Amino acid sequence: MSDDDNSPISARAAKRLFAELKAAPALVLAVSGGPDSIALMWLAARWRRSLARGPELTVVTVDHGLRVEAAREAREVKRLASELGLTHRTLRWRGAKPTTGLPAAAREARYRLLAQAARSAGASHVLTAHTRDDQAETLLMRLLRGSGIAGLSAMARLSTRDGLVLARPLLDVPKSQLIATLKRARIGFADDPTNRDAAFTRPRLRALLPQLAAEGGDARTLVRLSARLARANAAVEVLADGAERFLRLRDRGDAPHLPGARSFEATAFASLPEEVRLRLLLRAIDALGHEGPAELGKVETLLAALDQAIAVGARAARNGRPILKQTLAGALISLAGGRIHVAPAPVRRRRGAHKSGS
């Protein structure tokens, strides 16, 4: 992109943004009506017109039913999509809304509806309009929550969700460039007041960004940090892959094989770096548990307990009984017979459930 964060995006630059999507059969564009997503729609439509052959584009607007203006904004998106020659659908989040955790619940509903629309349209990708500014805010949010390296890598340009590819072609683009692009094209957009509502975390952090920028922590710098952490995270993932192979080779087929479970030789596991051990536990718990994903802090506590149990295990073990046994995220983790076992935990009974025949 241009170094000028206030310059409109050229047709040539837009072509580079979408180049890797050219071979997709169809794409769903998530467009709410705000400047970022309107710019995504306009740029994608211009890019598609420049191709002799390319993916079919479907614009989807999700009306969460949280603001009275949302229906009108969806109609405006439909009108502009029609002018651009694009198919448009409005999907509504129906049912009762939670009183707490509303942003997260709305986000989950949005992605669920977008995935349904993508399957209906035969699309392989869902495109969202996340920008460089969004990436910086996401990094700050996760930093304040104490996320690990994986979380601080923030959003990826391409990721998978619900069996589809989630693409963020504007992730390296500042919001100011998108607004400049729309102004040059004389295209209007909606202003969502919730983006400035201090009742929510992201708007509060957004208001702090100018102060951070004055100290050198602007969005460009924060995103660079996120990219470096993503690079480190990828390297640790390679180490974790190698550690899994090492543990399997160490067993040489002598380890007990239990269907639907994972097992590690305890002393070999304990010899691995702490971050690698954490990831092996996370992988096993997330794969076998039924209440996941597991929280990093809880897995760190579990690992500390395992390390302590392994250190005293040789003296404490009697008759192969477990030295440690606990559940986490729907998985049962135990240390017995010199091995760490991870298996699905028994499903908890619902409170207040009555016995049959009562």
Side-chain angles (χ1 to χ4, degrees):
M1 298 305 301
S2 168
D3 289 335
D4 182 359
D5 288 355
N6 296 307
S7 63
I9 299 172
S10 67
R12 179 178 297 180
K15 189 174 182 179
R16 291 196 298 269
L17 291 174
F18 299 103
E20 61 191 330
L21 303 170
K22 182 178 178 180
L27 305 172
V28 159
L29 311 178
V31 181
S32 64
D36 302 350
S37 60
I38 289 291
L40 171 70
M41 176 172 64
W42 189 82
L43 290 166
R46 184 172 64 171
W47 163 72
R48 178 60 185 87
R49 287 196 302 269
S50 71
L51 303 176
R53 295 194 319 179
E56 294 294 321
L57 304 183
T58 299
V59 177
V60 175
T61 302
V62 175
D63 181 352
H64 293 91
L66 302 174
R67 296 183 300 114
V68 295
E69 303 89 354
R72 175 180 53 79
E73 291 166 3
R75 290 193 296 270
E76 284 298 308
V77 174
K78 181 177 181 179
R79 180 190 60 78
L80 181 56
S82 178
E83 291 177 3
L84 295 171
L86 304 179
T87 301
H88 177 271
R89 293 183 61 191
T90 296
L91 301 179
R92 292 173 176 82
W93 181 26
R94 302 187 186 279
K97 308 300 189 290
T99 55
T100 60
L102 183 59
R107 184 170 57 252
E108 288 300 314
R110 177 172 178 251
Y111 281 121
R112 184 180 68 253
L113 292 169
L114 288 170
Q116 293 173 6
R119 294 189 184 96
S120 177
S124 56
H125 295 64
V126 172
L127 275 59
T128 66
H130 291 103
T131 66
R132 179 197 294 169
D133 304 70
D134 296 316
Q135 184 77 307
E137 293 163 10
T138 299
L139 173 66
L140 288 175
M141 289 180 69
R142 294 182 180 180
L143 180 65
L144 295 175
R145 292 172 182 170
S147 294
I149 297 176
L152 294 177
S153 301
M155 296 180 285
R157 183 177 173 84
L158 295 174
S159 59
T160 56
R161 187 184 181 106
D162 298 327
L164 298 164
V165 178
L166 190 60
R168 302 177 177 94
L170 307 181
L171 199 55
D172 295 327
V173 180
K175 184 186 189 79
S176 55
Q177 273 201 291
L178 299 179
I179 292 175
T181 301
L182 294 178
K183 285 183 176 179
R184 172 170 286 186
R186 297 182 180 178
I187 295 175
F189 50 84
D191 177 30
D192 184 350
T194 59
N195 289 328
R196 299 184 301 277
D197 190 344
F200 301 116
T201 302
R202 188 177 286 271
R204 291 197 300 270
L205 290 177
R206 186 175 297 138
L208 292 176
L209 282 172
Q211 298 175 53
L212 292 176
E215 299 295 335
D218 60 6
R220 191 188 297 270
T221 301
L222 292 173
V223 168
R224 186 183 302 121
L225 170 61
S226 176
R228 288 170 176 167
L229 290 169
R231 191 170 63 213
N233 181 62
V236 178
E237 281 292 289
V238 171
L239 291 176
D241 291 341
E244 283 190 319
R245 291 192 293 270
F246 162 73
L247 291 174
R248 285 197 299 268
L249 289 172
R250 176 106 175 180
D251 288 337
R252 295 179 180 175
D254 297 331
H257 176 70
L258 299 175
R262 295 187 186 182
S263 175
F264 308 118
E265 199 271 309
T267 56
F269 178 86
S271 70
L272 298 170
E274 183 177 359
E275 181 68 22
V276 172
R277 299 201 307 276
L278 275 171
R279 294 191 183 221
L280 294 183
L281 280 177
L282 271 167
R283 289 179 180 186
I285 292 169
D286 287 346
L288 299 169
H290 47 79
E291 298 175 5
E295 294 179 23
L296 177 59
K298 292 182 179 180
V299 180
E300 288 171 335
T301 301
L302 169 64
L303 179 61
L306 274 173
D307 285 346
Q308 184 176 9
I310 291 170
V312 301
R315 301 191 303 272
R318 293 189 181 92
N319 301 322
R321 294 191 307 180
I323 302 169
L324 178 146
K325 186 175 183 181
Q326 70 178 70
T327 59
L328 177 59
L332 176 65
I333 303 95
S334 60
L335 173 64
R339 298 192 68 82
I340 299 166
H341 303 276
V342 183
V347 178
R348 301 179 189 179
R349 289 185 178 182
R350 294 180 181 177
R351 291 184 179 180
H354 297 286
K355 294 181 182 179
S356 59
S358 61

